[in-house]
Amino acid sequence: MTYCLAISVNKGLIFASDSRTNAGVDYVTTYSKMHSFVWPGERVCVLLTAGNLATSQAVVNNIKTGLAAQGSGMNLRKGKYLHEVAHYVGQLSQAEQREHADALQKSGNSSAEASFILGGQIAGLAPEIYLIYPQGNYISASPETPFLQIGENKYGKPILDRIITPATSLEDAARCALVSLESTIRSNISVGPPLELAIHTINELHEPVRMKLTLNSPMYKSLQKQWNEGLRDAFSRLPRFDWE
Amino acid sequence: MTYCLAISVNKGLIFASDSRTNAGVDYVTTYSKMHSFVWPGERVCVLLTAGNLATSQAVVNNIKTGLAAQGSGMNLRKGKYLHEVAHYVGQLSQAEQREHADALQKSGNSSAEASFILGGQIAGLAPEIYLIYPQGNYISASPETPFLQIGENKYGKPILDRIITPATSLEDAARCALVSLESTIRSNISVGPPLELAIHTINELHEPVRMKLTLNSPMYKSLQKQWNEGLRDAFSRLPRFDWE
């Protein structure tokens, strides 16, 4: 399993992901699920991946192959709008899934499906984030729905629902993403560290600020401890029943 | 959808449920999902239901029919141990599902599956809670896993994971159940009020304390407001990044 999310606020974009993958419960491994593609001054793209690891790795490889190719075909750098790039990623994903679908079905193995979040900014345009479904279609965030999630999204959604608005600062959005990941890690063993975080400030078209947090990183330990204490404190101040 | 949960602590049991049911998005109704069966001094049983409403209603009706019948068959009052009662409820559920499975499949309609939480206490025995799967088998809570959930369980699980231990007071467990329901209602439109709460104090073999909370109930409004403020306060006190 996996949990990745992206948040779009007025000041820019936040991307966050866990790093645990598993095939069954006896093959648990660590892979980064965050990939950035940056042409300074021109465009910034960040891709988050969930689902079948073979599919998501193949999509990333094919994005890189596409960028290296000299032909006239579409690639990550050519899309004029970010939704064209999202469409392209959806096509790569569908092509990869089609190639292996029959074999997977015959062997009774799990699905080849993968989901993606693509976000970033193209010079002259606003920052955007897209969720690309396994079927290759995609949706963007909006002011009313300023975040997108893939993978194990439910445990970490309540805090996002409560805190995130377009006016939220980049740092608060990043903290909220970490809290959302921390709640998910606590409730689902198949989501795990290290956590990766990328912060894209609006109109700064260079490599986003990247952080990798392990369970022992001072920032993560401190956030985890203070959030736990803060929640317990909030809980202890809830109203009493009549008879108490 | 539905969200019901039960918590087993040293001092007794907490049961909580929402009341929204829906068949598609255009037939949304309100039904109680909490049913209590009490023989003072002898036994207390509380049943929470999730899943197909026809199945869960039929199971409750068949429990009542079984209690009214004079024969030698099993009924809710006869099980010597609560796990025997859980087994009986599982059998009623399976029988009901079998009767309609073919017809439902033929019409392409949704599943007849239903899940139940059965909890309570039989005189001379400890209080217990059981989760009864749609397949009729069941599990109990334990000191390490002191709560059970059915229906839309993920949004409301993190706070339970964080707060509930066997030493938690009955009132704190009840508050935690309400917070868990409130988070779920906020994130999933198919879970809705009124909320029902039942509190069984250990060895008090009479009707549990029952509360029904609407969105306008002073207790619920106050809990919702204070929890929201407490979370925001906790969030505002999280550690800053190096560059802030």
Side-chain angles (χ1 to χ4, degrees), chain B residues 70-89:
Chain B
Q70 302 295 324
S72 61
M74 175 66 173
N75 71 26
L76 204 71
R77 197 175 180 179
K78 287 184 183 166
K80 278 192 182 166
Y81 302 96
L82 206 64
H83 66 80
E84 291 180 4
V85 180
H87 187 88
Y88 169 67
V89 172

Side-chain angles (χ1 to χ4, degrees), chain A residues 31 56 71 84 102 138 140 144 150 182 187 234 238:
Chain A
Y31 282 94
S56 61
E84 290 180 5
D102 278 0
Y138 43 91
S140 70
E144 297 74 28
I150 51 176
E182 199 263 331
S187 286
L238 290 179

Side-chain angles (χ1 to χ4, degrees), chain B residues 10-74:
Chain B
N10 296 336
K11 297 281 177 60
L13 306 174
I14 299 295
F15 302 88
S17 58
D18 84 312
S19 302
R20 189 163 290 172
T21 70
N22 66 299
V25 292
D26 56 352
Y27 191 68
V28 177
T29 48
T30 300
Y31 282 94
S32 171
K33 300 164 190 176
M34 183 182 286
H35 308 271
S36 59
F37 302 88
V38 178
W39 294 269
E42 183 185 323
R43 70 177 57 196
V44 174
C45 293
V46 177
L47 187 72
L48 306 175
T49 66
N52 186 297
L53 185 62
T55 300
S56 61
Q57 284 193 353
V59 167
V60 172
N61 286 334
N62 289 337
I63 286 174
K64 290 176 181 166
T65 311
L67 288 169
Q70 302 295 324
S72 61
M74 175 66 173

